[in-house]
Amino acid sequence: MSAKKALKRPKESKPEEVKDPKKVKVSHSSHGQEKGLVLVLGQGDVGQLGLGEDIMERKRPALVTLPEGVVQVAAGGMHTVCLSDTGYIYTFGCNDEGALGRETTEEGSEMVPGKVTLDERVVQVSAGDSHTAALTDDGAVYIWGSFRDNSGVIGLLEPMKKVTVPVKVPMKGPVMKIASGNDHLVMLTASGDLYTSGCGEQGQLGRVPELFANRGGRKGLLRLLIPQIVKVQSRGKVHFTDAFCGAYMTIAVSKEGHVYGFGLSNYHQLGTKLINTCFVPIKLTTFKNSTINWIGFSGGQHHTVCLDSAGKVYSLGRAEYGRLGLGQGAEEKSEPTPVEGLDEAQVVACGASVSYAVTKQGSVYAWGMGTNLQLGTGEEDDEWSPVEMTGKQLENRIVLMVASGGQHTVLLVKDKQES
C-alpha cells in the first residue's frame, strides 16, 4: 500500500504543472496598447452613440464621456463596446438581444456608457449585430447577446436562448484573438487553430457543410453554437497567426503568410474568381504575392479592405456607393485593387457600406455610403475616394483606431502632445 501511495504522488503534482500554462498571459499584435478618448458619429437612434437620450445623430465626431481611458473600441450593428486600459468593458446602444451584457431596465440607461460586470481582466473585445465577446488576459472567452440567422434568433451557447450577462465559452486551450462577423465568432488559439461558432448560412463558420448550414440540419443548432475547430485541407497542419471577419465571411493568415478564407463571396469579396459561397477554407491565391505581407483585413456587407506591411490599402468586392474608394464609377473587383490617395496606413476598417483607413500620422480617411453620416463630412453624399475626416474633436488629436457599425462609427483618439 505504501509503495502504491509513493507512486501516486508524482501523478498528483501533474495537474498543477498543467495549470501553469493557463496562467501565461496571452498577447497578440491586435490587442490595444495605447490609451485614448472615444469619439462617435453617425446615426444613434437606439443609443449607440452613447451621448444620452437627446442626441440621435452626429454629423461630426463627438466626445463620449467615459470614467477611464480606453484602449479598444468595437461597433456592433446597433451597439458600441469600449475596453478600458484597466481591463473593464463599457457598452451602450440597443440591448434587445442582450448585446450590452448589463441591465438596462432604467429608462435611458442604454443610451449612455455602462460597465459590464466581468471579474477577469479583458484584453480584447469584438461585436456583431446582436452579440459581444470578450477575451481575458489568460485566454478565456466570454460572450453575451445572441446570434441570429435569416429566420431570427438561434441562440448563443444554447439553442434559441439569448444571454444577457457574460458567459464563458467552452474552450480547451487559451485563445489569443477574437473577431466577430454579423452573427459569428472566430477564435484564434495560442496553438494556431481557428474555432468558430454562430450562424453558418453563408459558410462563415468554415466547418459546416452546406447541407447542415440551415440551423445545423438534422444535427441541430448545437452543431453551430458549440465552438469547433476549422479544418484545412493541407498536406501538413496549418498554423494560423491572425484572423479577421467581414459581415458574412472569415479571413485567416497562416504562419507562412498564406491567406485563407470562407463564407459569402457573392461580389468576389473573398477574392474568389467565382461567386460561389465557400463552406470550407480555401487558399486565396489572389493574395499570393511574394513582395506583399498582408497584415490587415476588414469586411463590410459585400466588400473587403486590406492592408499590407508597406502601409498600402487595397479593396475588392461590391462597388456601389463608393465603398471600394476607387473613384467615381468604379466597378466590382475580384482581386485586391490599390486605393489611391492613402499613404502609410496602419489600420483599416469597414462598416456595412463604408470604409476607413488610419494613417501612421494619425489621420483617418473615410469613403463609401454617406446616408448615415458615418463619413464625418457633415453631408449625406457618398464618397467614391478617400476623404480625410475633420471636426473640432479631431483638432490636435491623432486617431489610433476606428470601428464601424450598421449606422454609426467610433474613433479612438489621443491628444498629440501625448504621442
Side-chain angles (χ1 to χ4, degrees), residues 62-204:
L63 184 67
V64 179
T65 302
L66 285 151
E68 50 186 327
V70 168
V71 292
Q72 192 207 338
V73 290
M78 293 188 292
H79 73 290
T80 305
V81 186
C82 302
L83 174 62
S84 81
D85 63 319
T86 55
Y88 290 114
I89 299 170
Y90 297 85
T91 58
F92 42 95
C94 181
N95 201 27
D96 291 354
E97 305 290 351
L100 298 190
R102 60 183 177 88
E103 189 184 304
T104 53
T105 49
E106 187 183 330
E107 192 173 340
S109 60
E110 76 280 5
M111 299 272 186
V112 292
K115 188 189 269 189
V116 176
T117 303
L118 188 56
D119 293 335
E120 298 186 50
R121 183 186 175 96
V122 174
V123 293
Q124 191 169 51
V125 290
S126 68
D129 269 1
S130 304
H131 76 274
T132 304
L135 173 66
T136 69
D137 62 357
D138 62 355
V141 178
Y142 288 81
I143 194 167
W144 55 94
S146 178
F147 294 126
R148 301 174 63 89
D149 65 8
N150 285 331
S151 303
V153 169
I154 61 172
L156 204 60
L157 293 176
E158 293 182 65
M160 310 306 291
K161 285 187 180 177
K162 67 180 181 182
V163 178
T164 57
V165 294
V167 289
K168 195 170 185 177
V169 177
M171 290 291 289
K172 288 175 184 172
V175 172
M176 64 179 182
K177 183 181 180 182
I178 56 173
S180 287
N182 278 16
D183 285 288
H184 74 292
L185 177 68
V186 178
M187 292 171 283
L188 173 65
T189 69
S191 55
D193 292 318
L194 278 189
Y195 283 76
T196 58
S197 65
C199 174
E201 283 180 329
Q202 292 87 11
Q204 61 267 60

Side-chain angles (χ1 to χ4, degrees), residues 258-289:
H258 299 304
V259 180
Y260 293 81
F262 41 93
L264 191 67
S265 197
N266 56 340
Y267 289 90
H268 306 282
Q269 58 264 50
L270 273 177
T272 52
K273 289 204 165 39
L274 303 174
I275 55 170
N276 299 352
T277 299
C278 303
F279 286 90
V280 295
I282 57 169
K283 193 184 281 189
L284 300 173
T285 53
T286 187
F287 292 102
K288 191 172 187 242
N289 185 327

Side-chain angles (χ1 to χ4, degrees), residues 182 244-251 264-271 287 297-306 313-326 331-337 339 348-357 366-369 374-375 383 404-405:
N182 278 16
F244 308 87
C245 288
Y248 310 110
M249 66 169 195
T250 305
I251 287 178
L264 191 67
S265 197
N266 56 340
Y267 289 90
H268 306 282
Q269 58 264 50
L270 273 177
F287 292 102
F297 296 88
S298 184
Q301 189 177 26
H302 295 131
H303 77 294
T304 307
V305 177
C306 333
V313 178
Y314 303 75
S315 63
L316 64 158
R318 192 175 185 180
E320 277 93 340
Y321 313 118
R323 71 190 90 184
L324 297 186
L326 301 176
E331 296 182 346
E332 192 175 300
K333 300 293 179 186
S334 60
E335 56 186 48
T337 307
V339 178
V348 290
C350 289
S353 305
V354 290
S355 307
Y356 305 87
W367 59 94
M369 190 169 79
Q374 287 175 276
L375 304 181
E383 294 291 345
S404 188

